[in-house]
Structures are given as C-alpha cells and as structure tokens.
Amino acid sequence: EQGGLPAPKEAGGRDLQMASSAEDNENLVPVTVLTGFLGSGKTTLLNHILTATHGKKIAVIENEFGDVGIDDELLQKNSKVQADEEIIEMMNGCICCTVRQDLITVLSKLAKRVASGKLKLDGIVIETTGLADPAPVAQTFFVDDAVKAFARLDGIVTLIDAKHIELHLDEEKPEGVENEAVEQVAFADRLLLNKIDLVSEADLFRIESRLKGINAFAPIMRTEKAQVSVDSVLNIKAFDLKKTLDMDPEFLNTDGEHEHDNSVSSISIIQPGNVDLELVQKWVGQLLQEKGAQIYRMKGVLSISNADEKFVYQAVHMLFRGNFDDKWEASEPRESKLVFIGKNLDEKELRDGFNACIDTPEVLEKRIKTLRFAMGTKVECKTGGGWVKGEVVAHMYRDEFMPPGMVAPYQVKLDSGELIWAPEDVNNLIRKA
C-alpha cells in the first residue's frame, strides 16, 4: 500500500530516485549524434556513410535547420526507393531521413519498419547542424518510452575543421550568446579533427591542447577529408553505463595547466572511501536543479555505503540516469570517480559539496541527532493493517534485505514482539503514540 511500512524482512520502503531500471540492451539500435560547424566535413562523412560499401545498414537522420543538407543529386543517383517523403533508401542499403517536424516521428517510422521485419538497422546517425547543444536530441533517448524500447543513445561525435577551429573558438559573442564551437567540443564523447592536411604539426599540437582544455575526456582522432571508418562513429558505447566503469584514472587526472582560461572546462574528482546514498541524492538533485544548465555532461562511478555494487551514472544537463551495476572486487579500492564538463564550473564548490556526502561517524551522529524519536520512545507505525503500537529499538538501521545503500531511520519493536523498520522519519509513517 502507498506509504506503508515494509513487513519484517521485506525490502523496500521507497524508490531510489536516482536508480533506473533501463538496462543497456544489446538489441537496441545504437544512435550517434553528429555535430560540427559548417565546413567541418559532416556532409562528406555522411555522403561516405550513404554511398560506401561498408556492409552496414545505417539510417542517417538530417535535421532540416542545417544550411546545407545532403547533396540532392547524390541522393538521386544513389537512392533505390523512397518509402515516403521522409525516408529514402540508398543503393548500399542505408537510409536517409529528413526531420521536418519531430525527431520522434521519424524514429517511430523507423521503429515500425524494423518491427515489421522490412528493415534491419545496424545504427542511426543524427546530424545536428546549427544546433550547438545536442541535449534536446539526447533527451529523446532518455525520456520517450517508445524510442527507448527501440534505440539507445550511443555517443556524441563532433567533427572539427582543423584549419578554422581556432577562429571559431576565439569568436567574440554578444552578451548571453553561447559560443557554439566551444559547446560542441564540450559535449563530445569523441572529437574527429578533420582537414589535418591543411595545417602543420605545430598547429595540430596547439589545437589539440586547446580542445583538451575544454574537454579533457573526449579522445581526439585525426582525419583527412573526413575519411573515417564507419566504426569510428558507430557503436562507441560512450553512454554505456558499463563503459563508464572503465574510466581510466589517468584519463581523469586533468590537473595539467591550460593557458586558455575558457569559461567551459572539465573537472574530475577521485575520492577514496564511501559516500552516503541519501546525502548524495540530495546533493546531485540540488546541483542539477540549480546548475543543470551550466553542467553539459556529468558521469561517474560512486562507492555507496552499505552497497556491494558500484553506482554508475551519466547526465546531460538535468537528465540523469544511473543504476547499481558490477560488484566491487574484494581487492579493489573503494573510491568514487566523478567527471564534470560545463560552463563556469566552481571546482572548490563541487569538491566541497561531494566531500560533505562522505560517510563518516560524524555524519552518522549528526543524522541521528536530527531524528524526532529517541531510543525507547513509544510510537505508532503505519503498516498494511493500519496503525500499530511499538517502541523504537534502533536508529539508522540496516539489514541485508534492504535495497543497496538504504538505511532506515528507525527499527521498531511492535507490541506483538515483531520487528519492523520505518523507511522515513515522517508523520504519515511513524508518529508518537
């Protein structure tokens, strides 16, 4: 029943707000979001996907608000059949779609064709010309249930024009207007540095250190004429929570000095020991509510007290997704690793906020002091059978039948002798007798 106390030895009490039951599923179609400035080589890359014999069936979804689309002539020459005005089938088995209204509409059409057996897809590439912030596209894969059942967000890839990127990064924007080039670099899981044949090695070294200053976590691949294998933009599993577990600690060490003080930067925190689930939930909730617009990307692995599994999460702006995953190995040091990429990030504030979640005897003592009922207090508890009298026999109680990380404020011995626990210290669950 709603708000009732769990019966003895029954797990539960409240949902873990951060946990998500959506497991990464191998059967879902991987989706790459491709961003990059006009002239960075996106059209060349997409043309390559749609015409080369790479043996993969890929749907390319083009957003119409780009100034320049896939070359119409090229489409006519290489297309086999136009299924409807939005979906064109290419000679090499790939599909080209144009989004005129809503991305979800096009994805639903593709999903129907896949479900009916008419179409098999190895991947989807969504091109977002003119959209600096891929979050609205990413949001579709976090929020829409029909889309979630068919496809999974796989990664955000940004194509960069080596010849002109510095001009774009240095462009002065009016007050309140974002620099799209900086944002596109900040959001990326992978950076394709294109047109390297047009600049010197010294230029490349300088450009790469600038890119790392904005986003220290996205690997940089050098390319000429956008000649990259289809595999380098597909199925990179950047949003795979399991893969987040493998974040290289060295990769997280971003203390190197960068001469460019961009307002967009990346920060990592590595913290030994365990953190308290409830405190972390409050901190993350508050952080995303107050600073969500500034935090472009966030991901990490948390070591939560009273949990044998690692808590793994990813966020794009305020969209948060996470769950308990692999168990901690006995030989493995318990530590939390967090990565933030965003605008005007306050490193001290983030570190202090996270440090306040560390589980220590002092934190436990503080939490016990805030509880309403002392040990031995006669109380009434709301159970499946209504309100039942009992006595508080333990504070901050935990047993193996509770969900990972959960601690109950009270264990109560009922007058019948039965032991139960109260999931929250609130009046509609436990009150003074």
Side-chain angles (χ1 to χ4, degrees), residues 242-278:
K242 277 237 190 288
K243 195 165 175 197
T244 310
L245 288 168
D246 306 330
M247 286 193 298
D248 179 357
E250 279 312 301
F251 196 41
L252 294 179
N253 181 13
T254 56
D255 298 334
E257 289 302 307
H258 299 290
E259 62 239 65
H260 295 279
D261 181 32
N262 267 348
S263 62
V264 175
S265 61
S266 32
I267 290 170
S268 67
I269 296 174
I270 299 179
Q271 179 63 55
N274 292 336
V275 290
D276 178 274
L277 179 64
E278 200 173 317

Side-chain angles (χ1 to χ4, degrees), residues 113-133:
R113 296 185 73 190
V114 168
S116 71
K118 285 184 195 159
L119 177 66
K120 186 191 171 300
L121 279 182
D122 296 308
I124 297 172
V125 176
I126 300 178
E127 180 263 346
T128 60
T129 310
L131 243 199
D133 181 345

Side-chain angles (χ1 to χ4, degrees), residues 375-376 391-395 411-413 419-420:
M375 299 277 278
E391 179 183 327
V392 173
V393 292
H395 284 150
Q411 187 186 33
V412 175
K413 187 175 186 180
L419 286 167
I420 65 170

Side-chain angles (χ1 to χ4, degrees), residues 29-35 42 45-46 49-50 57-63 95-97 99 103 107 110 121-128 137 141 155 157 230 233-235:
V29 180
V31 178
T32 303
V33 177
L34 183 66
T35 74
K42 284 203 306 302
L45 176 60
L46 295 174
I49 291 173
L50 289 171
K57 291 213 165 190
I58 298 155
V60 171
I61 299 179
E62 251 211 305
N63 275 312
I95 297 245
C96 183
C97 320
V99 176
L103 178 60
L107 288 168
L110 290 175
L121 279 182
D122 296 308
I124 297 172
V125 176
I126 300 178
E127 180 263 346
T128 60
V137 174
F141 298 92
V157 176
V230 174
V233 291
L234 282 181
N235 223 4

Side-chain angles (χ1 to χ4, degrees), residues 365-423:
E365 205 177 314
K366 209 165 157 184
R367 285 181 65 183
I368 290 172
K369 277 186 182 154
T370 64
L371 295 177
R372 292 178 300 152
F373 307 122
M375 299 277 278
T377 305
K378 300 288 185 192
V379 291
E380 288 184 330
C381 298
K382 173 85 176 293
T383 68
W387 290 93
V388 183
K389 287 187 162 62
E391 179 183 327
V392 173
V393 292
H395 284 150
M396 305 315 284
Y397 173 74
R398 163 96 198 152
D399 68 33
E400 66 198 271
F401 300 101
M402 289 177 170
M406 184 182 172
V407 177
Y410 305 106
Q411 187 186 33
V412 175
K413 187 175 186 180
L414 300 180
D415 290 354
S416 64
E418 196 180 7
L419 286 167
I420 65 170
W421 46 269

Side-chain angles (χ1 to χ4, degrees), residues 135-205:
V137 174
Q139 189 164 9
T140 310
F141 298 92
F142 280 80
V143 175
D144 188 272
D145 288 336
V147 171
K148 275 197 307 203
F150 156 65
R152 62 177 170 80
L153 185 60
D154 183 61
I156 297 170
V157 176
T158 299
L159 204 55
I160 289 162
D161 171 359
K163 181 84 174 148
H164 298 109
I165 183 63
E166 289 173 296
L167 282 174
H168 293 313
L169 294 177
D170 292 333
E171 195 182 334
E172 290 293 328
K173 292 282 182 182
E175 189 65 38
V177 176
E178 304 298 344
N179 181 325
E180 295 101 325
V182 174
E183 293 213 330
Q184 287 176 352
V185 172
F187 268 108
D189 293 300
R190 183 168 287 185
L191 297 168
L192 299 180
L193 186 54
N194 193 27
K195 305 192 178 180
I196 56 168
D197 48 322
L198 304 180
V199 294
S200 69
E201 187 58 40
D203 292 332
L204 287 171
F205 182 79

Side-chain angles (χ1 to χ4, degrees), residues 19-25 28 141-142 148 241 321-323:
S20 142
S21 59
E23 291 295 316
D24 282 334
N25 188 332
L28 298 179
F141 298 92
F142 280 80
K148 275 197 307 203
L241 292 177
R321 178 177 166 228
N323 54 25

Side-chain angles (χ1 to χ4, degrees), residues 281-331:
Q281 285 183 323
K282 280 183 186 158
W283 176 66
V284 168
Q286 193 178 352
L287 187 65
L288 294 180
Q289 211 173 346
E290 293 172 6
K291 302 263 167 58
Q294 287 164 256
I295 296 174
Y296 298 162
R297 298 291 300 270
M298 184 167 97
K299 57 183 167 184
V301 180
L302 302 180
S303 176
I304 305 270
S305 291
N306 302 304
D308 297 330
E309 300 91 7
K310 302 166 179 181
F311 187 85
V312 194
Y313 68 89
Q314 290 250 13
V316 177
H317 283 319
M318 287 129 186
L319 295 163
F320 186 98
R321 178 177 166 228
N323 54 25
F324 284 97
D325 212 299
D326 293 0
K327 288 203 166 191
W328 291 95
E329 299 289 335
S331 58

